[in-house]
Amino acid sequence: FYLFLQKPKSTMAAETKRRAKIIDVNDHTITLQITGDCSDSCQGCRLQIVCHNTSGADSLLTVARDCYAGVLGKGDTVEISAAGSSQLTAAALLFGVPALLLIGALAGLPAAGFGDGASVAVAVAAVAAWYCVVAALKKRFDRQMKWIITKA
């Protein structure tokens, strides 16, 4: 886990760099449509599970206007990448919390008198419930992500 956190900063943003087309710009937000297939650019990315790697309506992403200080217009092509802090937050939400749920249930429930089978069932159910929460709150997590936008 320590090595996972010590990844050089220069490769963190490069892993998540994606091309996008600006659909709308207003005073507070920029709406982007992720373009192209992300299969090559997303290999090894920690955000791959929650990122916009699909087509259609799911490929739209609305980010805060403060991600880019320059002049942007509708139809411009940009490159977008996740900030390193967002990658670590996503990794914690997607891997850290489920690991804690598993460890807590598998260690705590048998100590409380539950059987091994029941402990495993509760641990799996807790992790599944966590991923349902993440899926339900995906739009909220998207808004809290820190993105870096550069003109292509």
Side-chain angles (χ1 to χ4, degrees):
F1 187 71
Y2 179 77
L3 293 175
F4 179 71
L5 294 176
Q6 294 300 316
K7 196 163 200 171
K9 286 186 179 181
S10 62
T11 61
M12 289 175 82
E15 288 177 344
T16 59
K17 195 168 278 193
R18 300 282 307 279
R19 283 202 178 266
K21 182 178 179 184
I22 296 178
I23 303 300
D24 186 39
V25 179
N26 65 36
D27 291 339
H28 304 290
T29 62
I30 302 169
T31 302
L32 305 161
Q33 181 167 22
I34 307 299
T35 57
D37 181 22
C38 73
S39 59
D40 293 333
S41 63
C42 294
Q43 293 303 320
C45 174
R46 296 178 206 142
L47 298 175
Q48 193 172 12
I49 295 171
V50 293
C51 192
H52 300 270
N53 54 6
T54 59
S55 59
D58 288 341
S59 68
L60 293 178
L61 175 66
T62 301
V63 300
R65 179 71 172 94
D66 61 359
C67 292
Y68 186 79
V71 177
L72 292 172
K74 190 174 181 179
D76 287 350
T77 301
V78 295
E79 287 186 340
I80 184 167
S81 59
S85 61
S86 290
Q87 291 185 34
L88 292 176
T89 301
L93 290 173
L94 295 173
F95 307 117
V97 172
L100 290 175
L101 289 171
L102 280 173
I103 291 168
L106 294 176
L109 291 177
F114 286 85
D116 290 341
S119 298
V120 169
V122 169
V124 169
V127 171
W130 174 250
Y131 282 121
C132 288
V133 167
V134 169
L137 298 176
K138 185 177 183 311
K139 297 278 187 198
R140 185 180 185 139
F141 290 139
D142 283 347
R143 287 191 302 268
Q144 293 176 350
M145 298 286 293
K146 303 290 185 227
W147 298 98
I148 300 166
I149 297 176
T150 55
K151 208 137 192 194

